[in-house]
């Protein structure tokens, strides 16, 4: 297992992401003036001379390492060493490493050794029923972590995880991924074996919200409700499409429309508002 130093991490975080993408991922980007955008997600912008990115659709931002891990499928050591210029892409690609037995496993935060008051309060506020929360806890698909009281959504294979903050600051909500998550991994709630439909959502909150909406409307729930952790995760969509009868259920925004057009061979449904959680909250609040 290869490692990196703290100094290498500092260097990698400060690396010019714009130049790195031009040199190594030119086919994945579109140039617009003094910035570039991902070809399959135009809401993400990387400015020339800047060591990071901004997603205008979600307000997500991060440094160069964050971008490679969250949006290009690198695991953490790959990202650091690639940005430091010490990684030979001709002998081993980041994607090959992340699928190999040498992959660094995701390190999940320690769970809180107490009642999950923040978890219940936040999810109930977001319209999720206590009954559903109890099922998720019993299946070990969610827990509240000890250090920051965030909610962790861990898949059954423990190779992919999503984090949601329980504190909202204005309209800002913390939403991130567990480092070293499998690049085509996902989180699934509901029927895993032979579901009628696998609904692909952008986040675990949205996947659970869609399930709750179907329950409220007495609709068929013999389905899988899946989070892929972001609308750009096409490898994950392809993987799921090979296993299930997929329905694209991403957000009602520009990035979601790009995803639907990119997967126009699949059926799709669109929330009335921006996402399924907003639909659920409004439905419950009348």
């Amino acid at each position: 297992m290869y490692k990196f130093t703290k100094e290498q991490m500092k260097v990698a975080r400060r690396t010019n992401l714009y130049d790195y993408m031009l040199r190594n991922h030119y086919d994945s980007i579109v140039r617009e003036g003094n910035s570039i955008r991902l070809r399959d997600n135009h809401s993400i912008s990387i400015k020339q001379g800047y060591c990071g990115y901004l997603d205008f659709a979600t307000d997500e931002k991060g440094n160069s390492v964050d971008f490679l891990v969250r949006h290009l499928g690198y695991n953490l050591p790959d990202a650091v060493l690639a940005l430091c210029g010490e990684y030979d892409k001709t002998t081993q690609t980041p994607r090959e490493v992340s699928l190999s037995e040498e992959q660094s496993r995701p390190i999940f935060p320690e769970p809180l050794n107490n009642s999950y008051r923040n978890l219940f309060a936040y999810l109930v506020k977001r319209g999720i029923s206590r009954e559903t929360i109890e099922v998720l806890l019993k299946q070990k698909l969610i827990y509240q972590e000890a250090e920051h009281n965030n909610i962790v959504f861990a898949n059954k294979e423990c190779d992919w995880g999503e984090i949601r903050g329980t504190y909202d600051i204005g309209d800002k909500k913390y939403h991130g991924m567990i480092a070293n998550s499998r690049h085509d991994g996902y989180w699934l709630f509901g029927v895993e074996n032979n579901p009628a439909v696998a609904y692909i959502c952008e986040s675990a909150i949205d996947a659970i919200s869609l399930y709750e909406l179907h329950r409220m409307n007495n609709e068929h729930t013999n389905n899988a409700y899946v989070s892929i952790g972001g609308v750009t995760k096409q490898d994950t969509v392809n993987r799921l499409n090979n296993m299930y009868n997929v329905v694209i259920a991403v957000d009602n925004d520009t990035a979601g429309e790009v995803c639907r057009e990119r997967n126009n061979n699949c059926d799709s449904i669109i929330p009335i508002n921006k996402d399924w959680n907003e639909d659920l909250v409004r439905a419950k609040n009348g």
Side-chain angles (χ1 to χ4, degrees):
M1 183 69 66
Y2 46 89
K3 298 180 180 180
F4 56 87
T5 66
K6 290 183 179 179
E7 185 59 35
Q8 286 174 318
M9 172 60 90
K10 290 179 182 178
V11 171
R13 286 172 173 167
R14 295 195 299 264
T15 297
N16 186 314
L17 184 58
Y18 180 96
D19 290 347
Y20 180 84
M21 292 297 292
L22 287 178
R23 288 195 302 268
N24 297 282
H25 293 282
Y26 190 80
D27 291 341
S28 300
I29 60 174
V30 176
R31 301 179 70 171
E32 295 181 358
N34 64 346
S35 66
I36 57 176
R37 298 180 184 270
L38 282 179
R39 189 175 296 277
D40 60 359
N41 185 356
H42 284 196
S43 69
I44 293 179
S45 177
I46 302 168
K47 288 187 178 181
Q48 189 172 12
Y50 184 59
C51 56
Y53 70 100
L54 173 64
D55 188 333
F56 289 99
T58 65
D59 287 331
E60 175 192 314
K61 59 184 177 181
N63 58 49
S64 299
V65 175
D66 295 332
F67 182 80
L68 266 59
V69 170
R70 294 173 184 171
H71 296 285
L72 292 184
Y74 286 64
N75 65 33
L76 186 58
D78 292 342
V80 172
L81 297 181
L83 290 164
C84 287
E86 297 181 20
Y87 187 80
D88 186 355
K89 289 175 65 65
T90 64
T91 60
Q92 187 178 43
T93 67
R95 182 159 296 164
E96 288 167 346
V97 171
S98 62
L99 289 176
S100 77
E101 294 182 356
E102 295 299 317
Q103 178 186 359
S104 297
R105 297 286 295 178
I107 300 175
F108 288 85
E110 289 294 322
L112 179 68
N113 188 22
N114 207 329
S115 61
Y116 290 170
R117 286 186 294 180
N118 289 62
L119 180 149
F120 272 94
Y122 183 80
L123 292 180
V124 169
K125 176 184 174 183
R126 301 312 307 169
I128 311 300
S129 67
R130 286 184 171 272
E131 178 185 357
T132 296
I133 296 171
E134 293 287 0
V135 172
L136 290 163
L137 289 169
K138 185 176 181 180
Q139 294 181 5
K140 298 182 178 180
L141 291 173
I142 62 171
Y143 67 89
Q144 183 177 322
E145 55 101 351
E147 185 175 1
H148 302 292
N149 291 314
N150 294 323
I151 303 172
V152 178
F153 302 85
N155 68 0
K156 291 181 179 179
E157 296 78 15
C158 292
D159 63 4
W160 193 92
E162 188 176 334
I163 304 176
R164 171 77 63 165
T166 54
Y167 303 107
D168 291 348
I169 304 174
D171 292 330
K172 306 293 184 183
K173 303 175 179 66
Y174 173 68
H175 183 208
M177 302 296 300
I178 297 291
N180 292 339
S181 289
R182 178 170 170 165
H183 86 279
D184 60 352
Y186 56 88
W187 181 92
L188 183 150
F189 173 56
V191 178
E192 186 171 5
N193 296 319
N194 298 317
V197 171
Y199 290 100
I200 296 180
C201 302
E202 292 187 37
S203 71
I205 288 284
D206 284 333
I208 301 167
S209 298
L210 182 56
Y211 167 82
E212 292 282 76
L213 285 164
H214 283 174
R215 286 185 66 214
M216 286 175 60
N217 297 326
N218 294 317
E219 295 182 29
H220 182 57
T221 56
N222 186 32
N223 305 314
Y225 298 85
V226 183
S227 168
I228 60 174
V231 75
T232 65
K233 306 296 179 65
Q234 186 59 39
D235 285 347
T236 311
V237 175
N238 294 341
R239 181 184 174 200
L240 289 163
N241 205 15
N242 288 329
M243 297 188 293
Y244 301 121
N245 176 28
V246 161
V247 170
I248 305 297
V250 295
D251 289 0
N252 184 6
D253 58 13
T254 300
E257 185 57 32
V258 171
C259 180
R260 285 184 286 273
E261 290 177 358
R262 189 170 62 240
N263 296 281
N264 57 16
N265 59 314
C266 302
D267 291 335
S268 64
I269 57 174
I270 305 175
I272 297 171
N273 299 287
K274 181 183 181 298
D275 57 44
W276 298 111
N277 185 247
E278 189 174 342
D279 279 8
L280 177 63
V281 171
R282 295 197 178 196
K284 288 204 166 183
N285 292 339

